[in-house]
Amino acid sequence: MSSVDDRTARARVRDAALELFAEHGEDKVTMRQIAERAEVSPALVVHHFGSKAGLREAVVEHLRTWMDELFDLTADTGTAEAMQAGEWSSIGEVLQHALPEGSPIVPYLRRLMMSGDPLGTELLAAWHRQTVEIFTAWDAAGKLVAGPDPETRAALAMSSDLGTLFLADHWRQVLGYDPLHGEGLARWADEAMRFYAAILPTTDTGADNDIASPPPSSKESS
């Protein structure tokens, strides 16, 4: 087998494991099932990953790479400028590229975070840290109001974003459209722009003004 074929087989096995882990949970998936989904022999799965723990490590590394690439795409202040101008198309393209329809990444993330798996908390913490960094950078560039408590503001924004991702299947049934793809994404995004307008500075308010200033302390009010 050539090195190219070998790498392709390894990726197929990893992707099969990701799909099955997302569908059933890691504890209920066997190495043989993964081999069958990837259309390779169980021996080849063992050759590449050694064990199911090794497969989990490969899946998680793939997930981390996906997260890093997504943040690289969104960290540019040009994304914030597009949001300020209400130009969702470029941001929507980023999301559609990052989350192709049918991707098992979202259901796998949902399972990790909803099951109480410590890895879910670890990934959420990394995601939050990067979001705070982006908010702070955008605030310094005058493209977003990070507010007096950027950590909590980032957590609130993430709760909204993750809620969209994790509840997308339910929203399709409730709303009658897909909030993550096609025309449904555009419709969802239009309202999201209005929803997030409070943290997008305008030429009238500037980045230094904030609608969520902290209340005065008890000493100040006394």
Side-chain angles (χ1 to χ4, degrees):
M1 178 180 292
S2 70
S3 59
V4 173
D5 290 340
D6 192 53
R7 284 197 302 273
T8 301
R10 179 182 171 86
R12 282 210 317 275
V13 172
R14 181 205 63 209
D15 291 347
L18 172 58
E19 292 172 2
L20 288 168
F21 289 170
E23 292 170 11
H24 307 292
E26 295 166 15
D27 292 343
K28 296 182 180 179
V29 176
T30 67
M31 296 281 275
R32 182 171 294 279
Q33 288 173 320
I34 294 168
E36 290 175 355
R37 176 70 65 92
E39 299 183 339
V40 300
S41 69
L44 187 61
V45 177
V46 174
H47 167 71
H48 282 302
F49 300 98
S51 64
K52 195 160 70 171
L55 262 170
R56 173 182 162 103
E57 290 179 9
V59 167
V60 171
E61 182 59 31
H62 179 59
L63 188 58
R64 291 185 194 279
T65 299
W66 171 81
M67 288 175 63
D68 288 343
E69 290 175 350
L70 180 59
F71 275 104
D72 285 344
L73 287 170
T74 57
D76 193 322
T77 56
T79 303
E81 291 171 359
M83 291 176 67
Q84 275 185 294
E87 297 171 1
W88 177 258
S89 58
S90 60
I91 307 167
E93 288 171 5
V94 169
L95 288 177
Q96 297 224 35
H97 175 74
L99 290 171
E101 196 164 2
S103 169
I105 287 178
V106 169
Y108 181 61
L109 270 174
R110 178 172 56 222
R111 184 177 289 277
L112 281 177
M113 293 185 182
M114 297 298 102
S115 67
D117 190 314
L119 175 61
T121 303
E122 180 185 333
L123 291 172
L124 184 66
W127 197 327
H128 177 255
R129 183 172 59 253
Q130 290 177 289
T131 301
V132 172
E133 290 174 358
I134 289 174
F135 274 27
T136 303
W138 284 5
D139 185 281
K143 305 303 179 184
L144 177 141
V145 180
D149 187 354
E151 288 79 13
T152 300
R153 180 158 293 189
L156 287 166
M158 287 176 61
S159 294
S160 175
D161 294 340
L162 290 173
T164 303
L165 295 177
F166 293 168
L167 296 174
D169 289 342
H170 298 288
W171 288 134
R172 289 185 193 103
Q173 298 178 55
V174 172
L175 297 174
Y177 66 86
D178 186 342
L180 295 180
H181 297 97
E183 294 181 1
L185 173 61
R187 179 175 174 182
W188 183 275
D190 283 344
E191 190 57 34
M193 289 300 94
R194 290 185 280 273
F195 183 80
Y196 284 119
I199 62 172
L200 295 174
T202 67
T203 54
D204 293 329
T205 61
D208 293 331
N209 294 328
D210 190 274
I211 63 170
S213 299
S217 65
S218 56
K219 290 182 180 179
E220 292 174 337
S221 58
S222 60

